[in-house]
Amino acid sequence: MFIAKQALGTGTNGFHKATTDMQKMKRQRERSYKQKEKGAGNTVNHEDEEQLKAATFDKSLAKRMVETNIAGIQYCNLMTRCIRSILLEIDPTNPLLLIQPPDIELSSDGRRQADAPQTNTARVQNNSAAHHGSTLRKSRKTQYQSSTTKELIKFVGDHDDQGKKLTKKELSYRMFDFSRFRSLPSGKYVAAMVNPELCILARVVKDWIEVTTYHQIVGLTELERNALFKENVIVRNAEDYNGTLGATREVNREHILPLPLSWEEAREWGSRMTKGSRVFAMYPGTTSFRHASVVDYTTFCQGNDDIIVVEFDGDGEENDNIPQRHIPARFMTLIPQELKGSKRRPRKRKSTTQND
């Protein structure tokens, strides 16, 4: 009720009031200028808007408008925080809360600070843990110990057909392949590959429950597995999900990648993503998953979330400045090895020589 009153009521909407007040200031200044010019016997050219602006927009008016503009933007920041706090109470695990617009900060001259050119120092700070809100995992009060990884290893085995012990990377992919077959209850979040170039955050609309235990997965023949992967799963874009069948997609089970069901499971899955692992990670500020390579999987956290530091393909290639993004492990999954993106492509480097 508070938000509805503030946002929809024109008398209390701080942003609406700020923009209205700024228009009033300009009109008052224009009327004052026209009356002064008319009293002096001069003719005011009303058609030349730019000339009128130049004549009326002085330093004093600009200062008053900046102060009013700051008040309006502070109101927007307040509303954003209020809405997010309410959504956080309703569903603290909702991934849409990760799409957090930053507070719009104004410098002393009224310009958005984001408009100022970035220096090399600023870029370094933007890549720091503090900028991403991450803290050191070792400082977290709640320590975590794996509970199901050992159980899963018993079923999948940690040796190849020749009896050679698997590397950590090989073992992580073997466990990942088994998780791809698990059941998908309605309402759960998944990464859905809707086409070869687009992977989105989606929610399952209709239960897909074919296998429920490790025993069942292990017992599947290759023919049975291939048949399961050809079945369709009904999903809906996470931003539009409301539990109904409207505007849904049917996606082959092969192209549905399960996401961790909890913080605890995310920690286990994240612990398997060794440096250099190829992953689908949800790009900051969006609900789209992009190809990325893991840089650090052991150092950072954000509250209950373990953080995986990644470099996204194509990110920063235009200026050779590759940002390292901090992504919650809940919104990341290994890229299946049969896909082209499971191998990191060489980055394009700018040529340092010029052709004659």
Side-chain angles (χ1 to χ4, degrees):
M1 290 177 64
F2 168 76
I3 290 173
K5 180 180 178 181
Q6 293 288 324
L8 302 180
T10 56
T12 54
N13 187 315
F15 182 74
H16 179 273
K17 185 177 184 302
T19 53
T20 301
D21 287 348
M22 285 191 289
Q23 292 298 325
K24 286 180 180 178
M25 291 178 195
K26 290 195 293 183
R27 286 196 294 268
Q28 288 172 355
R29 186 72 179 86
E30 288 171 5
R31 282 196 298 267
S32 175
Y33 170 76
K34 290 175 182 178
Q35 289 174 357
K36 182 179 178 181
E37 291 296 301
K38 188 175 181 180
N42 296 328
T43 301
V44 180
N45 184 1
H46 300 291
E47 296 180 357
D48 192 345
E49 293 293 333
E50 293 302 319
Q51 183 179 352
L52 184 61
K53 288 180 183 178
T56 60
F57 202 84
D58 58 12
K59 186 176 181 180
S60 175
L61 176 61
K63 183 178 179 181
R64 287 163 53 206
M65 290 182 67
V66 164
E67 292 172 350
T68 304
N69 189 33
I70 290 176
I73 290 188
Q74 287 174 340
Y75 164 85
C76 293
N77 289 337
L78 172 63
M79 288 297 98
T80 299
R81 288 191 290 268
C82 286
I83 293 171
R84 287 185 60 80
S85 67
I86 293 171
L87 295 176
L88 190 62
E89 288 185 16
I90 295 172
D91 182 9
T93 63
N94 193 323
L96 298 182
L97 289 171
L98 292 177
I99 307 174
Q100 180 175 0
D103 280 353
I104 303 173
E105 298 179 359
L106 295 178
S107 59
S108 58
D109 61 358
R111 291 192 307 163
R112 285 179 53 184
Q113 289 185 354
D115 294 337
Q118 282 192 327
T119 62
N120 290 333
T121 304
R123 293 195 187 104
V124 172
Q125 290 173 344
N126 283 343
N127 283 337
S128 69
H131 173 74
H132 297 274
S134 299
T135 57
L136 292 177
R137 201 179 297 178
K138 64 182 180 181
S139 302
R140 184 168 52 193
K141 293 181 180 179
T142 304
Q143 297 301 318
Y144 168 76
Q145 292 184 350
S146 173
S147 58
T148 61
T149 297
K150 291 182 180 179
E151 179 186 355
L152 180 56
I153 291 176
K154 290 180 182 178
F155 287 99
V156 304
D158 58 357
H159 289 73
D160 61 20
D161 295 338
Q162 286 72 42
K164 183 180 178 181
K165 191 174 180 64
L166 300 175
T167 65
K168 186 172 182 178
K169 183 177 182 180
E170 291 170 337
L171 182 59
S172 68
Y173 269 105
R174 179 174 288 192
M175 290 189 285
F176 167 71
D177 286 339
F178 275 80
S179 70
R180 290 181 67 188
F181 288 95
R182 73 175 181 188
S183 297
L184 302 172
S186 176
K188 297 303 181 183
Y189 291 100
V190 294
M193 290 184 284
V194 294
N195 65 51
E197 301 298 326
L198 180 62
C199 187
I200 64 170
L201 180 69
R203 295 182 74 173
V204 179
V205 174
K206 185 178 180 182
D207 289 346
W208 187 90
I209 301 178
E210 300 293 338
V211 290
T212 56
T213 66
Y214 291 141
H215 285 288
Q216 288 178 296
I217 297 175
V218 171
L220 292 173
T221 65
E222 184 175 354
L223 189 63
E224 290 172 330
R225 294 185 186 192
N226 291 337
L228 283 179
F229 266 4
K230 298 304 178 185
E231 293 187 7
N232 285 333
V233 180
I234 302 177
V235 299
R236 190 170 187 176
N237 190 312
E239 294 176 296
D240 304 325
Y241 179 84
N242 60 5
T244 68
L245 292 178
T248 59
R249 303 171 184 263
E250 291 189 5
V251 182
N252 280 2
R253 181 63 182 82
E254 179 182 8
H255 298 138
I256 296 291
L257 301 177
L259 295 175
L261 300 177
S262 63
W263 285 309
E264 290 76 15
E265 187 170 62
R267 291 168 186 166
E268 284 202 43
W269 288 23
S271 68
R272 305 171 194 165
M273 295 177 183
T274 57
K275 184 175 181 179
S277 293
R278 295 289 292 162
V279 295
F280 277 124
M282 196 162 73
Y283 195 81
T286 74
T287 53
S288 298
F289 289 80
R290 287 173 49 179
H291 299 87
S293 296
V294 172
V295 175
D296 184 331
Y297 66 104
T298 62
T299 307
F300 300 109
C301 68
Q302 288 180 9
N304 288 320
D305 276 312
D306 275 5
I307 294 299
I308 311 294
V309 183
V310 302
E311 292 179 352
F312 284 97
D313 290 4
D315 214 1
E317 282 190 350
E318 66 281 355
N319 56 10
D320 265 355
N321 179 40
I322 306 171
Q324 294 183 354
R325 312 282 187 178
H326 288 214
I327 310 299
R330 283 185 293 144
F331 305 113
M332 193 175 302
T333 181
L334 288 171
I335 298 176
Q337 289 181 302
E338 70 269 15
L339 297 183
K340 189 182 298 184
S342 64
K343 306 295 183 186
R344 184 167 187 170
R345 63 180 179 83
R347 283 188 173 270
K348 296 179 180 179
R349 298 292 181 182
K350 288 185 177 181
S351 175
T352 56
T353 60
Q354 295 183 348
N355 294 327
D356 294 332

